[in-house]
Amino acid sequence: MNFDRIKQKLSVLSDAAKYDVSCSSSGSKRANKNKGLGDTNGMGICHTYTEDGRCVSLLKILLTNVCIYDCAYCVSRKSNDVKREAFTVKEVVDLTINFYRRNYIEGLFLSSGIFKNADYTMERLVRIAKKLRTEEKFNGYIHLKTIPGCSNELMHEAGLYADRVSVNIELPTESGLKLLAPDKKREDMIKPMQYVKNTLLQVKDERKVIKSTPKFVPAGQSTQMIIGATPETDRQIILTANHFYTNMNLKRVYYSGYVPVLADSRLPATTMQVPMLRENRLYQADWLMRFYGFKADEILEAEHPDLDTEIDPKLAWALRNMDQFPVDVNKADLHMILRVPGIGLHSARKIVAARKFNKLNAEQLKKLGIALNRAKYFLHWPGIYQSKDYTSNSIRAMILQDSHSKYHRMNNPQLQLF
Ligand code: SF4
């Protein structure tokens, strides 16, 4: 193996992969102390979280940044004048195994530009996963970004070797896709997702009867949308995500703020960076749908199509629905306790379990670790009476005042989550 050449390819193909956020990446630097194969120096290593909350490091690369398509938002688009590289199947397999043996990574996140056509590229991605599993006996995590428009046969093979597969739907609406990625068709993204969904159901049934039925994408499928390259509202984005969660049984939808690297009259100006806060609010709204029982059109109603940047979406919903509060902490069902701002999933379950033995009051709620600074405006317990003078505006002002002063006290740059 020519180490310098591989290092060169790694530099180009890990840099091009950094725009894909669907593995929740963050950079990592690890020096090479033993004259081994290069050093990671942040190249291609990212972190992701497993179902059980473990953080794993992944080698995150493209097979190639050569592409026959010309998606306006993509650095690898064919009309962009960038250095092009491509790994061979063997190079990706060897890199993965070498990095794994050196403990740099626990898995592989592999995506690709499209050379020749969808099946030609996909066949190589599948070959890499197959070689790793069958020849190298690699048991680490593999996430394959599949190529829209590839055949069901290749999707099936991908599912047998990868832990997770995903197809990016790229833009929240079909009109956005037509404008910025005219070579791509929505149905080419839907078809492989549908195939994975149906096969997952079929394999689940078969495994009930025949335990040895091979596993198929055990970590499920996900997708990614680019936010802010087209003018969709947050409501349109969340409704699209909801559609895919409901109809395709997706594990995750990732929201990737558009990074303006290219000038194009169809795109926002290169100075217009999508604020991190927008991505963050979309992830909060996504959590409300997946874990808190909120419906997409409750979070964002037609009259309020964009998420409030000052307050999180759960608080925003509560302030718009003051007629449903205060809720009795000793009687309300879990569904309603989960809707109280300031009470997370874990805390809501603790409340429901603890009140079987005792009536809860402020002292006991504090003992359970519930922070009442927000929740107190929306909860009722013995001995507390909500002031009739509270309005949604006054509560909002008090909470903002409180969080601003806390922000200054703690100088904490993190957003308050629920
Ligand atoms: S198909 Fe993928 S790699 Fe090719 S230009 Fe479009 S987004 Fe970029």
Side-chain angles (χ1 to χ4, degrees):
M1 197 185 268
N2 179 336
F3 290 168
D4 287 339
R5 186 71 190 103
I6 294 292
K7 202 172 163 185
Q8 213 175 0
K9 290 188 185 187
L10 192 55
S11 158
V12 171
L13 296 172
S14 64
D15 192 61
K18 74 183 178 201
Y19 298 99
D20 202 312
V21 296
S22 54
C23 67
S24 319
S25 70
S26 63
S28 163
K29 295 193 178 187
R30 202 188 298 246
N32 178 354
K33 293 179 189 136
N34 303 319
K35 295 197 171 172
L37 176 64
D39 55 41
T40 62
N41 263 339
M43 283 199 297
I45 309 289
C46 75
H47 297 138
T48 190
Y49 292 88
T50 59
E51 283 286 279
D52 58 5
R54 252 180 352 108
C55 177
V56 294
S57 313
L58 301 178
L59 171 62
K60 180 180 176 181
I61 48 171
L62 299 188
L63 173 64
T64 181
N65 65 340
V66 172
C67 194
I68 54 169
Y69 287 172
D70 207 34
C71 308
Y73 46 82
C74 176
V75 277
S76 302
R77 75 193 218 190
K78 71 176 176 195
S79 60
N80 196 24
D81 184 19
V82 287
K83 191 170 169 42
R84 305 285 170 170
E85 293 285 8
F87 282 122
T88 62
V89 168
K90 184 170 179 335
E91 283 168 349
V92 177
V93 171
D94 289 349
L95 262 183
T96 309
I97 295 301
N98 276 309
F99 274 28
Y100 189 77
R101 288 208 177 113
R102 284 166 173 75
N103 256 345
Y104 293 168
I105 57 159
E106 290 160 83
L108 171 68
F109 176 94
L110 184 62
S111 183
S112 185
I114 304 173
F115 31 35
K116 276 196 182 173
N117 57 49
D119 275 354
Y120 184 88
T121 313
M122 186 67 189
E123 192 268 331
R124 275 155 183 73
L125 297 179
V126 170
R127 208 143 28 100
I128 290 167
K130 185 175 181 177
K131 247 176 165 331
L132 281 168
R133 293 290 192 228
T134 57
E135 293 175 26
E136 302 294 337
K137 309 286 178 231
F138 177 71
N139 282 311
Y141 182 83
I142 299 178
H143 180 159
L144 285 188
K145 277 266 148 162
T146 63
I147 307 296
C150 73
S151 68
N152 285 349
E153 289 72 25
L154 285 167
M155 273 315 279
H156 192 86
E157 269 209 275
L160 294 178
Y161 303 117
D163 294 281
R164 171 166 286 186
V165 294
S166 49
V167 193
N168 286 353
I169 55 166
E170 308 285 16
L171 294 154
T173 56
E174 212 159 342
S175 54
L177 192 70
K178 268 197 191 123
L179 178 72
L180 298 185
D183 305 312
K184 288 186 170 173
K185 292 193 209 93
R186 191 63 128 208
E187 64 258 31
D188 285 345
M189 298 155 187
I190 306 292
K191 208 180 82 179
M193 276 189 201
Q194 187 77 55
Y195 181 80
V196 170
K197 179 197 157 186
N198 292 344
T199 311
L200 274 168
L201 292 172
Q202 188 189 325
V203 166
K204 195 173 164 197
D205 280 347
E206 284 173 12
R207 283 177 75 87
K208 282 182 199 154
V209 187
I210 309 166
K211 289 273 172 282
S212 59
T213 305
K215 282 187 180 166
F216 187 80
V217 283
Q221 60 173 335
S222 60
T223 193
Q224 174 180 301
M225 277 188 264
I226 298 166
I227 304 308
T230 38
E232 288 89 3
T233 61
D234 292 338
R235 178 176 152 87
Q236 282 173 295
I237 294 165
I238 287 298
L239 288 175
T240 301
N242 181 53
H243 169 83
F244 282 99
Y245 279 130
T246 313
N247 295 299
M248 298 292 167
N249 286 353
L250 293 193
K251 285 279 184 195
R252 288 293 304 269
V253 174
Y254 291 90
Y255 308 91
S256 168
Y258 168 63
V259 182
V261 282
L262 301 165
D264 186 306
S265 58
R266 292 167 293 173
L267 290 167
T270 47
T271 47
M272 298 268 290
Q273 182 88 37
V274 175
M276 263 304 258
L277 186 58
R278 186 171 183 204
E279 260 184 55
N280 203 308
R281 292 281 181 242
L282 285 166
Y283 278 114
Q284 289 176 326
D286 187 282
W287 270 63
L288 292 184
M289 285 195 293
R290 289 192 296 135
F291 301 114
Y292 287 74
F294 280 82
K295 296 204 169 64
D297 50 12
E298 283 183 296
I299 302 167
L300 284 156
E301 296 152 359
E303 315 82 71
H304 304 98
D306 286 309
L307 292 161
D308 195 319
T309 50
E310 281 193 322
I311 56 175
D312 69 68
K314 188 162 138 184
L315 177 58
W317 177 84
L319 293 176
R320 289 198 306 273
N321 292 278
M322 287 304 288
D323 56 317
Q324 304 206 31
F325 297 101
V327 301
D328 189 331
V329 74
N330 288 299
K331 289 191 184 143
D333 59 16
L334 179 65
H335 165 85
M336 209 49 219
I337 300 275
L338 279 171
R339 290 183 172 231
V340 174
I343 294 186
L345 207 53
H346 203 55
S347 301
R349 289 194 185 125
K350 278 205 273 187
I351 288 172
V352 172
R355 71 189 187 187
K356 284 187 193 144
F357 308 101
N358 259 325
K359 267 204 179 311
L360 302 179
N361 56 28
E363 268 319 293
Q364 280 142 340
L365 288 170
K366 276 183 201 152
K367 273 188 200 152
L368 289 175
I370 316 281
L372 290 177
N373 52 341
R374 272 169 191 235
K376 67 185 175 196
Y377 301 108
F378 304 93
L379 273 184
H380 169 80
W381 60 81
I384 181 168
Y385 297 98
Q386 248 69 31
S387 163
K388 295 259 184 302
D389 299 334
Y390 284 162
T391 62
S392 56
N393 282 343
S394 64
I395 294 174
R396 180 189 174 105
M398 284 184 284
I399 289 176
L400 281 176
Q401 169 72 35
D402 191 38
S403 49
H404 286 160
S405 49
K406 197 187 287 166
Y407 176 89
H408 289 304
R409 255 195 336 267
M410 296 167 67
N411 193 21
N412 182 353
Q414 285 213 318
L415 281 168
Q416 174 135 13
L417 280 160
F418 309 113

